[in-house]
Amino acid sequence: MKRVACLAGLMLLGATVPGAQPPYTMTLIEVSKVWGSAVADYDRDGHEDLLIEGHDANDRIWYWTPGGYRPSAQVLTHSDRHGCDVADINADGLPDIYCAIGGEGGFGIGLNEMWVQQPSGQHVDRAQEMGIQDPYGRGRIPVFFDMNHDGYPDIYLTNLSTTRPDGHPNINRVFVNQGGLSFSELTTLATGAKGSKCVAKGDINVDGWDDLLVCVNKAPGHLYVNNQAGDFQELMPRPAETEWKDAKLADLNDDGRDDLLLITATNTFQVWLNSGGGRFFDTLSYQQKLPAWGESIAVGDFNRDGRRDVYVVQRDPNCETTGRDLAGDLIFFGRAGGGWVKALLPQALDGCGYLADVVDGSKILVMNGGGGWRGPSYLIEAK
């Protein structure tokens, strides 16, 4: 069954900004419930492939081909799958996938998955033998990062940390990779009920060690700086002392330092440039009030001009009732010499704007499904 519908030639009106920006096309990938995405070059052909994961029974990788994206023959076991992340955990050159599984509302068991890729291209779940199933956690979003700077990907796992009636811990955890064979848990400042709304890695203080960003429901997020001794220091006070709905760490001005991008609870998009010292994010460089509900941020070079751009997913507040999202998304195009040019992409798509990811550095994967509803996921790119 052909599941890729190419909408070649469909121009997203309003995408033109000063500098003769090209028109855009949209390609439908799938219609599903969505909790996250795991983008990577799984088959090592030089193009990134797509895994859109969620509660549906057909989670699978979509492989890039010259004729469009094609679904893998392997369908991952149906489970209460939430976020996944990708890394080569055993240094064999093959990308592997770690997925967080929900804990049945905090009343049951959810076994997290480590899908280790085999030379055949098949993925086999090895989470149990590697000690990273976390059965009592309400798994939300994991991120691979290098905690101890040994070159092997470690895991920071976020859980929706509600109190379980059986008393089992349901907290965020750090798992340290033991040479690609197993993982051991490390208790850190980032361990505990620390938030699960978003998570990302970066290098805030440019020391070559991975740091973490974690979003908290109804509170400001955390910025954890790796102390190179098996723990973190938290940056305080936090930029934007309000809830962070989504956040990213990315170098926006090519100075070698990761900057902080936020969507706040007041539906404001903010950029905090990294000063290189002190509290690092002391000055708000840019902010723009969003006309609709801001949901997700993706960073890439969408018009391929060599500068970083920012894609912001917006959601119509009436969408969950109508099933149609009338709120266009926004692209903030990086401008030569600094600053931004805002472009609106009007649309009236099924589903509700929920998440965005970047593919091959310049394409935008926009997911209009959510954990509680089915919706289309599109790949948007400049012609």
Side-chain angles (χ1 to χ4, degrees), residues 111-174:
L111 303 177
N112 291 355
E113 305 163 329
M114 176 62 83
W115 295 97
V116 178
Q117 187 171 176
Q118 309 301 299
S120 65
Q122 290 287 106
H123 288 79
V124 178
D125 183 12
R126 303 292 191 200
Q128 181 176 6
E129 60 198 72
M130 289 185 169
I132 45 177
Q133 286 188 308
D134 189 32
Y136 301 108
R138 296 185 68 182
R140 286 304 181 261
I141 311 172
V143 63
F144 281 110
F145 76 117
D146 193 350
M147 177 75 204
N148 55 1
H149 211 57
D150 67 351
Y152 281 94
D154 309 310
I155 298 169
Y156 184 66
L157 171 65
T158 68
N159 284 302
L160 183 59
S161 298
T162 54
T163 300
R164 292 181 58 101
D166 57 16
H168 287 292
N170 171 28
I171 58 175
N172 293 6
R173 303 177 184 274
V174 173

Side-chain angles (χ1 to χ4, degrees), residues 243-381:
E243 179 184 356
W244 304 357
K245 295 177 67 177
D246 195 21
K248 292 288 187 296
L249 290 167
D251 182 4
L252 298 178
N253 55 359
D254 293 322
D255 64 356
R257 300 192 290 259
D258 279 342
D259 306 306
L260 176 65
L261 299 86
L262 300 176
I263 297 175
T264 72
T266 60
N267 288 311
T268 302
F269 168 63
Q270 297 183 343
V271 175
W272 298 75
L273 292 180
N274 190 329
S275 65
R279 293 179 300 183
F280 295 97
F281 305 112
D282 294 310
T283 304
L284 179 61
S285 169
Y286 179 85
Q287 68 175 338
Q288 179 74 224
K289 181 71 174 178
L290 302 175
W293 287 354
E295 294 290 336
S296 181
I297 300 170
V299 181
D301 181 9
F302 305 130
N303 56 358
R304 304 188 186 105
D305 66 354
R307 293 185 288 272
R308 288 290 186 99
D309 310 312
V310 182
Y311 190 97
V312 175
V313 175
Q314 296 194 119
R315 178 146 58 109
D316 179 349
N318 299 313
C319 184
E320 290 188 36
T321 300
T322 64
R324 297 280 285 176
D325 196 344
L326 303 180
D329 293 341
L330 294 172
I331 300 182
F332 294 88
F333 288 99
R335 190 170 55 189
W340 307 92
V341 175
K342 182 178 69 174
L344 177 66
L345 280 69
Q347 54 192 251
L349 301 176
D350 291 335
C352 303
Y354 185 55
L355 287 174
D357 207 342
V358 179
V359 180
D360 288 336
S362 62
K363 305 171 188 175
I364 312 159
L365 177 62
V366 178
M367 293 157 275
N368 277 16
W373 67 88
R374 290 172 59 84
S377 293
Y378 291 98
L379 198 66
I380 302 176
E381 63 180 310

Side-chain angles (χ1 to χ4, degrees), residues 61-116:
I61 297 170
W62 288 79
Y63 288 103
W64 179 92
T65 74
Y69 288 85
R70 297 290 181 265
S72 167
Q74 181 181 10
V75 178
L76 301 186
T77 306
H78 187 204
S79 65
D80 183 17
R81 187 172 294 112
H82 290 185
C84 301
D85 201 15
V86 186
D88 178 8
I89 64 163
N90 52 7
D92 65 354
L94 302 173
D96 310 302
I97 309 166
Y98 183 66
C99 294
I101 307 300
E104 302 298 329
F107 295 89
I109 290 176
L111 303 177
N112 291 355
E113 305 163 329
M114 176 62 83
W115 295 97
V116 178

